[in-house]
Amino acid sequence: KNFTAFSNSTSPSILLTTDVAARGLDIPQVDLVIQIDPPSDPKVFLHRCGRAGRAGRKGLSVIFLQPGREEDYISFLEVRKTPVSPLDLIPQTPISDVDAAEAAKAIRAKVLTDRAIHDKAQRAFVSWLKAYSKHQASSIFRVADLDWADLAQAWGLLKLPKMPELKNWEGDPLLGLNIKFKEYEYKDKKREEGRKEQLFSLQHQNDATKGDTGNGEKAGDGSKSRETRKIGVKRAWSQKLDEKDERERRKEKKRTKREAEQWAKMTPAEQKKQLELERMIEVVKTRSIEDDKLGEFHGFDDR
């Protein structure tokens, strides 16, 4: 729908897209392509640029690079016979730190209107980081060189997600914003009710586990836990396979819990897409088994 509206537009328009539109689509009268991040595959860089200036028209493609090591991407492209040059803007449009801070403030004000936007921003940031970490030019695009505070401001995040990449970071993951996340609500009433119920349940569980047995032991750390440790020692000595099975069982339990939490955060539309994706995966698995016997998988039916 958005693609059709953009393609048929008779007035200046902007289309936000992923690399899905980098090739194979003939969009007429595109004058400018802005690449927010360098593609992980340098070949895609040319495909992205090729969306502008088609059919003999002039076009411009701009790529954003962070100051410092990322500027080596210019030489990286030159080696691959794809020279680029700094963009000279006329007139000049300087952006100050104050301007950047005001932009981040405006984004965060929008995010604060609905917790669902915050959830999407957290997932998007993690997804972006995974893509960044897998860049083919790994000597240029290094996660260790990223400025987390600046990135959080550029993304308009309310806090940084919990990620292993932040393990040794000494900054403030809450970004000094002092947001009361327990009171931060979803605009959708049903989702907000579910969040409050989950919050109440977790609080109830925490209260139940607090206290002291009178022997300096916390509730739940008595004879049962000691017996469990004894059994664990025996398994470590004589039943290592059972111990491995137990670890796998715990991993599966954690995975199931994580998936349930992610599902609860999804909107009905996102849940519908997820179900459709899972259905397609099952179809692929089934047909893959058939292909081992009958031949090549020829794609999905036109339904």
Side-chain angles (χ1 to χ4, degrees):
K1 182 179 179 181
N2 291 332
F3 173 74
T4 302
F6 176 77
S7 300
N8 298 332
S9 176
T10 57
S11 59
S13 303
I14 298 175
L15 176 68
L16 301 179
T17 182
T18 64
D19 278 335
V20 170
R23 60 189 303 176
L25 296 177
D26 187 11
I27 310 173
Q29 300 181 345
V30 175
D31 298 309
L32 173 64
V33 172
I34 298 179
Q35 304 185 40
I36 303 299
D37 284 304
S40 58
D41 185 349
K43 295 178 182 178
V44 178
F45 178 82
L46 286 175
H47 291 302
R48 289 182 177 181
C49 296
R51 299 307 95 198
R54 300 178 70 81
R57 290 170 53 87
K58 288 185 177 181
L60 177 66
S61 180
V62 177
I63 185 169
F64 290 163
L65 297 173
Q66 298 187 56
R69 186 181 292 273
E70 283 194 12
E71 293 176 302
D72 291 342
Y73 192 64
I74 298 172
S75 302
F76 178 82
L77 291 174
E78 287 178 352
V79 171
R80 285 154 180 76
K81 300 181 180 180
T82 310
V84 295
S85 57
L87 177 65
D88 294 324
L89 295 175
I90 302 175
Q92 294 293 322
T93 55
I95 303 297
S96 67
D97 290 341
V98 175
D99 295 328
E102 286 297 318
K105 184 178 179 180
I107 296 173
R108 283 168 174 157
K110 177 64 177 177
V111 176
L112 283 169
T113 62
D114 186 0
R115 192 182 183 111
I117 302 176
H118 164 72
D119 291 347
K120 290 180 179 179
Q122 296 285 291
R123 293 197 298 269
F125 186 78
V126 172
S127 179
W128 170 83
L129 181 61
K130 287 181 179 179
Y132 190 94
S133 66
K134 294 178 181 178
H135 203 291
Q136 288 188 10
S138 57
S139 61
I140 298 175
F141 301 97
R142 303 196 315 170
V143 173
D145 295 331
L146 292 175
D147 188 317
W148 298 109
D150 281 354
L151 279 172
Q153 176 157 306
W155 279 70
L157 298 179
L158 302 183
K159 68 176 182 178
L160 283 166
K162 292 182 179 179
M163 305 178 294
E165 291 81 4
L166 293 173
K167 184 177 181 180
N168 297 321
W169 186 55
E170 298 179 353
D172 178 15
L174 297 179
L175 308 172
L177 298 177
N178 297 320
I179 295 173
K180 297 179 180 178
F181 281 94
K182 286 186 177 181
E183 301 174 7
Y184 184 21
E185 299 183 351
Y186 289 106
K187 185 176 289 186
D188 184 276
K189 292 182 179 180
K190 289 186 177 180
R191 292 191 70 182
E192 179 56 22
E193 288 176 4
R195 183 188 75 87
K196 288 182 176 178
E197 288 176 2
Q198 186 179 31
L199 189 64
F200 177 80
S201 177
L202 290 173
Q203 184 64 45
H204 182 70
Q205 291 176 13
N206 290 337
D207 292 342
T209 56
K210 288 180 181 179
D212 194 284
T213 62
N215 297 318
E217 296 178 345
K218 289 184 178 180
D221 280 343
S223 60
K224 183 177 179 180
S225 61
R226 287 195 295 271
E227 183 64 21
T228 301
R229 287 195 292 270
K230 290 179 181 179
I231 295 174
V233 171
K234 292 180 180 179
R235 277 206 303 257
W237 176 69
S238 62
Q239 300 180 19
K240 292 184 178 180
L241 289 178
D242 289 344
E243 184 178 6
K244 182 178 179 181
D245 289 341
E246 177 64 13
R247 286 199 301 267
E248 292 298 325
R249 187 190 66 79
R250 289 198 297 266
K251 287 182 180 179
E252 179 63 21
K253 186 177 180 180
K254 288 181 180 179
R255 185 186 67 80
T256 302
K257 181 180 179 182
R258 184 168 60 251
E259 290 178 350
E261 291 174 348
Q262 292 174 347
W263 178 266
K265 293 178 181 179
M266 291 182 182
T267 63
E270 290 173 336
Q271 290 176 351
K272 183 177 180 181
K273 289 182 179 179
Q274 181 64 25
L275 289 173
E276 178 62 20
L277 176 61
E278 291 174 358
R279 186 194 68 81
M280 293 174 66
I281 291 174
E282 287 302 318
V283 172
V284 171
K285 288 180 178 178
T286 302
R287 295 196 179 183
S288 295
I289 295 173
E290 295 176 356
D291 290 342
D292 291 338
K293 301 177 181 179
L294 303 177
E296 185 179 358
F297 173 49
H298 298 289
F300 296 102
D301 295 333
D302 296 329
R303 290 184 295 181

